[in-house]
Amino acid sequence: MKDPLAFIVIISALGPIIGSAIGILRRPSFAYICNMLSFAAGVMLAISFLKLIPEGIHLSSAAVCVGGIILGSLSMYGLDRLIPHIHPELCTQEHGCNSQRTSVYLIQGIFLHNFPEGMAIAGGSVADAEVSVVIALAIAIHNIPEGICTSAPFYHTTGARLKSFLVSSSTALPILAGYLFARYLFQNIPLEIIGLIIGATAGLMVYITADELIPASCAGNNHKTIFSLMSGVIFIILLDII
């Protein structure tokens, strides 16, 4: 499969844009959002453990890949400490997300956190173009609730539907910037570094899954979301068969 650059860029931007549109039109049920996040968690875990980590070990060594996993997870941890990521499940009226100021802070936090997500998509392309497409899809799915959570409160406080949509959709820009930056950075590098990059991508994705997606999907104490997670894992396994 040739590098589907345009396809990946389009998928990467769809999550925040679709979520932003839903947020100013009609918010889906909380259970639906939880299941969507859980499915994305299953996809990201399966991609990390079944594709990225084995590929990283194959191209370099187990030690280098482990170093990459640690590097990726610590990078996301450090970013969370510097700029706390307000999780979508907290976006309810009692938490103050009906104020314009809080919604702006939420948009700023998501904006900055989306840059490494774009780099993760590019990291997948180092292993395989198809892996990059699936990572882009998983990140787009998990960004839909974030788009809802940013556009809905902003629209509620300003009454400006178009402005709310555009401001919230702008969180897609750092994803694209991160992807293009990493694609340029990853060209013509030795296999040892490629293994480190793939490991770091896996570490970043596992961190996002464990720190954000799984806790958010369980926010409503709905244990049935585990089946959505398993569906995400099965989806990646079947993808190899098709």
Side-chain angles (χ1 to χ4, degrees), residues 140-156:
I141 291 171
H142 116 265
N143 278 335
I144 289 176
E146 291 187 349
I148 296 170
C149 192
T150 52
S151 65
F154 197 86
Y155 172 57
H156 178 74

Side-chain angles (χ1 to χ4, degrees), residues 56-112:
I57 294 173
H58 173 72
L59 292 176
S60 54
S61 66
V64 171
C65 186
V66 167
I69 294 171
I70 295 172
L71 177 64
S73 58
L74 287 180
S75 298
M76 284 305 299
Y77 175 76
L79 184 59
D80 264 346
R81 290 296 297 265
L82 291 173
I83 311 162
H85 194 172
I86 305 174
H87 293 179
E89 76 273 14
L90 300 180
C91 191
T92 55
Q93 186 169 339
E94 61 267 29
H95 284 285
C97 281
N98 61 332
S99 69
Q100 183 176 355
R101 182 177 181 181
T102 303
S103 64
V104 169
Y105 285 151
L106 179 61
I107 291 170
Q108 290 174 344
I110 291 175
F111 196 93
L112 294 171

Side-chain angles (χ1 to χ4, degrees), residues 17-42:
I17 293 174
I18 291 174
S20 300
I22 294 173
I24 61 173
L25 296 175
R26 183 179 179 182
R27 183 179 299 192
S29 68
F30 185 64
Y32 178 80
I33 291 177
C34 288
N35 279 286
M36 188 173 5
L37 290 172
S38 189
F39 178 81

Side-chain angles (χ1 to χ4, degrees), residues 198-210:
I198 294 175
T201 301
L204 186 151
M205 292 178 63
V206 171
Y207 182 95
I208 291 173
T209 302

Side-chain angles (χ1 to χ4, degrees), residues 175-192:
I175 299 177
L176 301 178
Y179 173 77
L180 295 174
F181 170 76
R183 282 285 297 171
Y184 174 78
L185 185 67
F186 296 163
Q187 290 177 352
N188 301 318
I189 53 178
L191 289 180
E192 288 291 312

Side-chain angles (χ1 to χ4, degrees), residues 1-12 121-122 124-136 176 179-180 183:
M1 183 179 188
K2 295 181 179 180
D3 184 16
L5 175 61
F7 189 52
I8 293 171
V9 168
I10 291 171
I11 293 177
S12 303
I121 297 171
S125 69
V126 175
D128 188 283
E130 292 182 2
V131 172
S132 186
V133 171
V134 176
I135 292 175
L176 301 178
Y179 173 77
L180 295 174
R183 282 285 297 171

